[in-house]
Structure formats: C-alpha cells, structure tokens
Amino acid sequence: MKAIVFHGIGDIRLDDVEEPRLEKPTDAIVKLSASAICGTDLHMIRGTMPGMKPGTILGHEGVGYIEALGDDVRNFHVGDRVVIPSTIACGNCVYCRAGYHSQCNDANPNGAAAGTAFFGGPAPTGPFHGMQAEKVRVPFANAGLVRIPDGVTDEQAILVSDIFPTGYFGAELAEIKPGDTVAVFGCGPVGLFAIVSAKLFGAGRVFAIDCHEDRLELARAQGAEVINFDEEEPVVTLLRLTNGIGVDRAIDAVGVDAVHAHAGPAAKEAHAQKAEHKREVKEAAPKTNPDGDNWVPGDAPAQVLQWAVEGLAKAGTLSIIGVYPQQVRTFPIGAAMNKNLTLKMGNCNHRKYIPRLLELVRTGEVDPTAILSHVEPMASALDAYRNFDLRKPGWVKVELEPSQLQ
C-alpha cells in the first residue's frame, strides 16, 4: 500500500509499504477513507519533536471502515464506519477510567511512565505507524474506535479525530466560565477550534492573536476579536481593550514552533531579545534540515508563553495545548507566580471527547468543515505538506484521501 513515510528531518516520501495485520486479539484493521495533515506532523519534520524513527508512517487523524477485527473486539462489526482517536488508550487502566486517556498506563510499549502514545509519532510515543496511508492497525480497538453516526460526513468526522477535541480540551483546561474574556494564541486549526469551544463554554469575549490575515479572518468569522501581532503589540492591545485588566483565560494553541513579530511595534522587542530567541531555538531544535523555506523551525519557541502570561489578568488561567517537547525548558515562571496564575496543560484525551463532539456535529450545532480548506488526494500529499508548512494563504487544514492515489 501507499503511505507518507518519515525518512529523516526534512525528508518525507510517498512510499510503498507493507499492509498492516492483526497482531493482538484487541486489534482492528481500518481501511482509511480520510486522513489529514496536522501541525504536530510539522514539528517532527522540522526537528522540534525529536526521536522519530526512519520508516515510520506519519499521520494521527483517521476515518474509515473496519476491515478486520481481533477476537477480543466485541463492540464492532467488520464494515462499521469509524473515527480513530489520535492518542492511543486501552480503555481499562485507572487513567483511562478517569478520562486521562492520553496518560494510559498500557498503550505505550515503553512503559507506564513513558507518557502519551499516539499514531505516527516518535520512538518515545511507541512508536505506532500512522494514518497517512491506505490502512492502519488500531490497538485496543474496543476503546480506540468510535462509530460515526449517520449524517456525519468524512469531512466532518476527520476534524473530530484530533483538532476539534484538542481545541475543546484547551477550552476546558482554561476553566472558561460564562462571561469570561479569553485570549487564543494561534489561529491554526486547533486555535480556531479553541475559539469555537470557548464560545460553547459561554465565553463573553474571545480575542484571537496571529499574524496571518486569512487565519484571522476565519477567527473573526467565529466571533473572535482579532489582533495581528505584526501590526500591533499584542499584550499592549489586549490590556487596552480590557481596560488594563487583561484576559481571564488564555489558550496557547501554537507550541514550540511559535514565531516572534517581524514587523510593527512588537518587532522592536523581538530584536532586543534576539540572543535569547536564538538560544531557545537551539534548545528546541538541536538538529534541523531545511529545504529552502520549508521545514524551518519557529524562531521564538517561548514567545506565546511570554505573551500569554503578560496578557492574563491576575488569578487568571493559562491553558497550554500547543506541543512542547521535553527538551524545551523556557517558561516565565516568575511572572506567572507573581500574578497567581493557574497553569493547566497536556496532551488531549481524545477518546473522552469524541462521542460528545460527534453529537454536536450530527445535530448541526457545530459544522467543523468551516475550518477545512483543502481536500487533496494522497498522491498530492507532499505538495500539500509543503504548502501547509509555509502557511500559504488559504492553507489552513488539509484532508487527505488515501483512496485517491492517481
């Protein structure tokens, strides 16, 4: 079968690979009808999430039809149409039973203390082959699959595999209460769903901070008040628009590949911090392999954390759902402590949220496809990756169709 395969930092290819097979009685094989490209995939290709094993199939978002089932998977039939949660969970351990599926004790073969297991990730996460392929093996399929209700399309369901649950998780971590003022840093797919989710939690005002006008326009369409950090200093603007108070809640939906301002008044501060940003980049991405303008790590890994802490009101809450690998250690802890901030963060417990969000989609309360910008055949995946990596105008979220290989 065909799949998008990681060969090294800055090197991905569309390869012929062996088809997956059932390895344990709790496995399923799913023939994929939809996959997607995520910003987390870019972290690995840029070198800001190390430890990828060459030969690993990328991708952690999947929708498809069950082709084969292990004997111990008792709640599905061959032929069922399902969405696959991005993080892998057994459904049985004490963490899964408490809803912390991303911290499952049994899913990661590196051991209970190894942390989150997910599809298409680096060695410390398993590794497990991903879903930018024609088929995938799903471990713990009784818990690792969710049946898609009638009336929900592939285009809607693929967005509930990872990015909608992650945005919703971010809003929940932020402890948003009705009437709260919220700042969402980053208007990529997860940030846009964090805005949608903040509204679902009853936020009174939502600010969206980014530098890409097309993404800011999508945020505005979701009801957010937008701030372009290449045109105005974002913290100054947040404080001015909140009468000097700051926001109650902030969500970091960017992570390690954040960039500093390259124009406007905030660029002066970035210039003054040039040496510190350079140190942070070296810490975050000790090995890189750019190809022209592609696969270039962010130039200010801790930028969003700095702005979020400064823009929060005293006793506010910072929710961090942007990816930070273990080698990153920079955080403005003194400023956060002296404002009595609450910090909550982590990898999304996808399996906990997917049934709830599918129901919101089925009833029409939320149409996630407002954020889907491109549907591309798998044969065009490498070009789609490059365009998405460069954040070209209009390239916000890309669905891949594994069946379309011509």
Side-chain angles (χ1 to χ4, degrees), residues 302 305-306 309 318 320 329-334 336-337 341 343 345:
L305 299 172
Q306 186 70 44
V309 168
L318 171 56
I320 304 172
R329 295 183 172 89
T330 302
F331 181 82
I333 188 66
M337 180 184 180
L341 299 185
L343 310 179
M345 64 200 80

Side-chain angles (χ1 to χ4, degrees), residues 22 27-31 65-70 78-79:
L22 296 174
D27 287 352
I29 303 299
V30 175
K31 183 178 176 64
Y65 296 85
I66 297 175
E67 188 174 84
L69 287 170
V78 169

Side-chain angles (χ1 to χ4, degrees), residues 63 65 81-82 147-158 160 357-369:
V63 167
Y65 296 85
R81 182 165 164 262
V82 293
R147 190 176 287 106
I148 300 172
D150 292 341
V152 176
T153 66
D154 274 10
E155 287 72 24
Q156 292 172 320
I158 193 62
V160 184
L357 300 183
L358 279 174
E359 185 62 13
L360 292 180
V361 174
R362 186 193 68 80
T363 60
E365 185 170 348
V366 177
D367 181 7
T369 59

